[in-house]
Structure formats: C-alpha cells, structure tokens
Amino acid sequence: MTIMIYLLPIALLLGLGGLAAFFWAMKSGQFDDLEGDAQRILFDDEDQVPGRQG
C-alpha cells in the first residue's frame, strides 16, 4: 500500500505533462491544417525530388 504514495504523484505528473504537451502543440499550430496534409499525401511530386533527373 505504501507504493501508492509514489505511484499516484508520478501518474499525476505524467498526465499533467501530457496535457501540457497537447496544449503546447495546439498553441504552436500543429493541428491547423488537417485536410491539407491528408490530401497532400495522395499527390506524387516526382519533379521536386532532389537528385533525380527525368
């Protein structure tokens, strides 16, 4: 039962750290353009690949 004295604060700190990382990602614009990234993967831009001539 004494292990709970250590595990509870560790779990709370990890949870708060994850929440802080999520809010930091929201503030820095990581989730602004979800549709653009989903569509961009479908297009093949072969002419922009460095080192290839064709």
Side-chain angles (χ1 to χ4, degrees):
M1 196 64 170
T2 58
I3 193 72
M4 295 297 286
I5 295 171
Y6 299 111
L7 289 179
L8 190 60
I10 290 172
L12 288 174
L13 286 175
L14 286 174
L16 288 174
L19 191 62
F22 173 73
F23 283 127
W24 171 78
M26 289 281 294
K27 186 177 180 181
S28 67
Q30 295 290 319
F31 305 112
D32 284 348
D33 185 21
L34 297 177
E35 289 297 320
D37 290 335
Q39 297 295 322
R40 195 175 305 124
I41 199 170
L42 298 175
F43 299 111
D44 191 20
D45 296 335
E46 290 183 7
D47 57 338
Q48 295 180 358
V49 177
R52 286 185 73 186
Q53 299 191 11

